[in-house]
Amino acid sequence: MSRPLLILALGVFAVLCLGPLGIMLPRVTPADLASLGDSRTWNLLGRTIGLGAGVSAIALLLGLPFAFFVTRTDVPGAGLLRLLGVIPLFMPALLMAMTWTVFVDWRGAPGTIWILGLSYFPLVAVFAGRAFERIDGRLEDAALLAGGRWAQLRSGLPLVYPAALAGAALAFTFAVNDFAVPDYVSSVGPKFNVYADEIFANWNNWKRPGLAVVTALPLIALTVCTLLPVLRLRRRGALASIASGFRDPETLKLGVWRFPAIVFCLAVLSASVFLPLGRLFYEAWGAADGTLDTLRGAFASAFDLARDDLARSLRFATIAATAATFLGLVLGHAIERVRRRRLGTVLEIAALLPIAAPATLFGIGAIVMWSRPGLSGIYASEAMPVILFTGRLAAFAVLILSGAVASLDVRLEESAALAGAGPIKRLFQIVAPPLVGALAASWTLVFAFALRELDAGILVPEANRTAIIRVFNGVHFGRDEYVAALSLLLVFASLLPALFWICFSRKRLEVLP
């Protein structure tokens, strides 16, 4: 590893990813710390844990069987179903809330849990699906001979369950840090306060950054403790190991269970993809009395009124995804190849912090860090959203690419070093080419998440001039055909890089090694 390149990457990561969190700590006062003893704080923690647990349970109940059916069985159109099942990850959860509150008048906790569960079940499906594919066919054959079909199915569970639980842990993390969905679902009816909402209120209403930090501390500790097992699972190889002589598992014939399986898959996709997108299309059409001219007019209005916002969103997301992927490659490689194993572990845990902290707190920290004298020019410029999105989302690229590097044989780099290749040449010519699927996945994921980043972006002036903020404002201040059309354009823009990759590349997007 090139020491200057690593130092540069560490410096950028420290400033962009850890700086907004670290700069908040000195603003904590004794009075702020005293609030930790308030019953309200612990009631919020309990309510937020309940939210995360409910979302994780739904993600497991939907994602695990969905992954099994589309990766291991003869369900018709399994490949297409599997691709469609990833769409909710690219769809802002706010859009799911916009549509499901029309179908069912669920408010408060039940509605929030259901909507977020639908939004994040693909995390379990993707992790478990990859694990199902990595069950050695030889192991299943031995189990089939020894104990029959049920023994064959049970033989791979030690590999699949850890992967599914890792996806559920990430779903828990996303859910407990979400601000927009609880806020929207509770805009009518009983208020459902969660930690992210409280942190935003402490800053927005009382201008007390120290109180916002103290409010978030129990949640950050809880989230880190939830995510650490994910790292441990990868360290043990539960998500990645493939033995030499590996043979792909056979496709299981469902027989009479084939019809119930396809019904289940279509029901999950209907709830998470077809109904939300169909409802938005219906609203863009002009609801019951709509015509084709109404639909064209809705999209024309969206282009006309939000063209600049969409362009800014795409520009910010593209730059942030590129910067985050570069950081992810350098730091991910360092995590796996650093000689001091403890230092690699510290880097890996540090990468979790921007994910573990609520986006609202991260946004507040970015304001405090960059709005000071001497830096106010950056804060008021279009560079600020790029800095914000890169800092918030680079952790995903770091974790994806560190896992991908772990699957590479280190002897490739050692041989290149003996041949005289320098560290930078080894990184970009030896390490990067085999990781092209993981690099593309990192870029695509950060791009999509940057387009949909609402919780942190709503606090920063220049980030307020993006498409997702315009949708958020439109929903609250006059929802009409134009808002639905803009929402559909935003979903399409989020999916576009993945669609291009699927259509024009022979390699798959790899979010797991």
Side-chain angles (χ1 to χ4, degrees):
M1 170 61 69
S2 169
R3 182 169 295 181
L5 182 62
L6 177 58
I7 291 173
L8 175 63
L10 286 172
V12 172
F13 184 82
V15 172
L16 300 189
C17 304
L18 303 181
L21 301 177
I23 203 169
M24 298 289 285
L25 293 177
R27 285 161 173 76
V28 176
T29 66
D32 296 327
L33 288 172
S35 68
L36 281 175
D38 294 346
S39 59
R40 175 179 174 81
T41 299
W42 296 104
N43 287 337
L44 277 172
L45 181 62
R47 193 176 304 139
T48 305
I49 292 173
L51 168 66
V55 170
S56 298
I58 290 175
L60 277 171
L61 289 173
L62 298 181
L64 189 56
F66 184 88
F68 173 72
F69 290 137
V70 300
T71 59
R72 292 299 317 278
T73 72
D74 61 343
V75 164
L80 178 60
L81 295 175
R82 186 177 186 179
L83 289 175
L84 292 173
V86 183
I87 290 178
L89 274 184
F90 294 84
M91 187 189 309
L94 175 64
L95 303 187
M96 195 83 73
M98 286 166 51
T99 53
W100 265 98
T101 51
V102 174
F103 296 135
V104 182
D105 192 22
W106 272 351
R107 299 290 177 173
T112 304
I113 290 171
W114 173 247
I115 290 165
L116 290 176
L118 288 177
S119 295
Y120 298 126
F121 93 88
L123 291 168
V124 174
V126 167
F127 277 58
R130 195 73 178 106
F132 274 122
E133 289 179 326
R134 296 197 168 203
I135 298 174
D136 196 324
R138 298 171 303 170
L139 174 65
E140 288 198 335
D141 290 345
L144 180 64
L145 290 173
R149 180 65 68 182
W150 286 110
Q152 179 189 24
L153 294 175
R154 290 196 304 269
S155 64
L157 293 183
L159 176 66
V160 176
Y161 279 159
L165 291 175
L170 287 174
F172 178 95
T173 300
F174 277 105
V176 299
N177 290 313
D178 195 283
F179 162 75
V181 171
D183 176 74
Y184 180 81
V185 172
S186 300
S187 60
V188 177
K191 185 67 175 174
F192 179 55
N193 286 326
V194 292
Y195 252 109
D197 188 38
E198 187 77 2
I199 292 165
F200 180 78
N202 286 337
W203 167 257
N204 195 47
N205 297 336
W206 310 112
K207 302 301 180 185
R208 294 180 60 183
L211 184 59
V213 174
V214 170
T215 304
L217 287 177
L219 182 60
I220 294 173
L222 173 67
T223 308
V224 169
C225 290
T226 303
L227 290 175
L228 284 177
V230 178
L231 301 183
R232 184 173 178 82
L233 287 169
R234 189 176 65 77
R235 282 271 167 247
R236 285 169 30 200
L239 303 182
S241 296
I242 294 181
S244 59
F246 174 86
R247 182 165 60 81
D248 289 332
E250 66 174 26
T251 298
L252 299 176
K253 307 296 183 182
L254 291 177
V256 296
W257 293 100
R258 199 178 185 206
F259 179 73
I262 189 63
V263 168
F264 173 84
C265 292
L266 290 176
V268 172
L269 291 176
S270 296
S272 61
V273 180
F274 303 146
L275 286 178
L277 294 182
R279 176 66 197 187
L280 289 174
F281 187 83
Y282 177 71
E283 291 181 14
W285 185 275
D289 57 349
T291 64
L292 190 58
D293 288 338
T294 306
L295 182 66
R296 282 197 295 261
F299 280 100
S301 295
F303 273 117
D304 185 46
L305 296 175
R307 181 187 298 110
D308 292 340
D309 293 335
L310 275 169
R312 271 189 290 270
S313 293
L314 292 170
R315 185 165 63 249
F316 297 158
T318 298
I319 299 172
T322 303
T325 303
F326 176 80
L327 279 176
L329 177 61
V330 176
L331 296 181
H333 182 263
I335 286 172
E336 292 302 324
R337 299 294 190 247
V338 70
R339 292 180 181 178
R340 297 179 181 177
R341 182 68 265 164
R342 188 171 298 178
L343 178 58
T345 302
V346 171
L347 286 176
E348 202 168 32
I349 294 174
L352 294 177
L353 293 178
I355 303 174
T360 47
L361 180 65
F362 194 91
I364 293 168
I367 293 173
V368 172
M369 183 172 181
W370 295 98
S371 62
R372 60 182 60 202
L375 298 175
S376 57
I378 296 176
Y379 177 73
S381 72
E382 288 196 348
M384 189 61 213
V386 174
I387 290 171
L388 179 69
F389 297 156
T390 303
R392 169 75 177 152
L393 303 171
F396 291 105
V398 172
L399 295 175
I400 289 173
L401 290 168
S402 67
V405 171
S407 67
L408 287 181
D409 192 337
V410 70
R411 290 175 295 183
L412 294 174
E413 298 173 60
E414 293 171 348
S415 298
L418 290 173
I424 295 180
K425 186 174 183 179
R426 293 199 302 271
L427 179 64
F428 291 104
Q429 295 188 12
I430 303 300
V431 175
L435 304 185
V436 63
L439 288 166
S442 300
W443 195 96
T444 302
L445 194 65
V446 174
F447 175 85
F449 284 175
L451 278 183
R452 57 177 278 181
E453 181 57 58
L454 172 64
D455 294 0
I458 200 172
L459 297 165
V460 176
E462 279 301 316
N464 269 221
R465 300 167 63 202
T466 55
I468 185 63
I469 302 296
R470 186 175 277 267
V471 169
F472 179 78
N473 291 333
V475 167
H476 284 81
F477 299 111
R479 181 170 172 178
D480 53 19
E481 294 92 346
Y482 146 75
V483 175
L486 180 57
S487 300
L488 288 171
L489 288 174
L490 188 60
V491 173
F492 177 74
S494 300
L495 289 169
L496 196 57
L499 291 174
F500 269 113
W501 182 265
I502 292 169
C503 292
F504 299 109
S505 175
R506 294 182 179 181
K507 293 182 177 291
R508 64 192 301 173
L509 294 173
E510 293 284 4
V511 296
L512 284 174

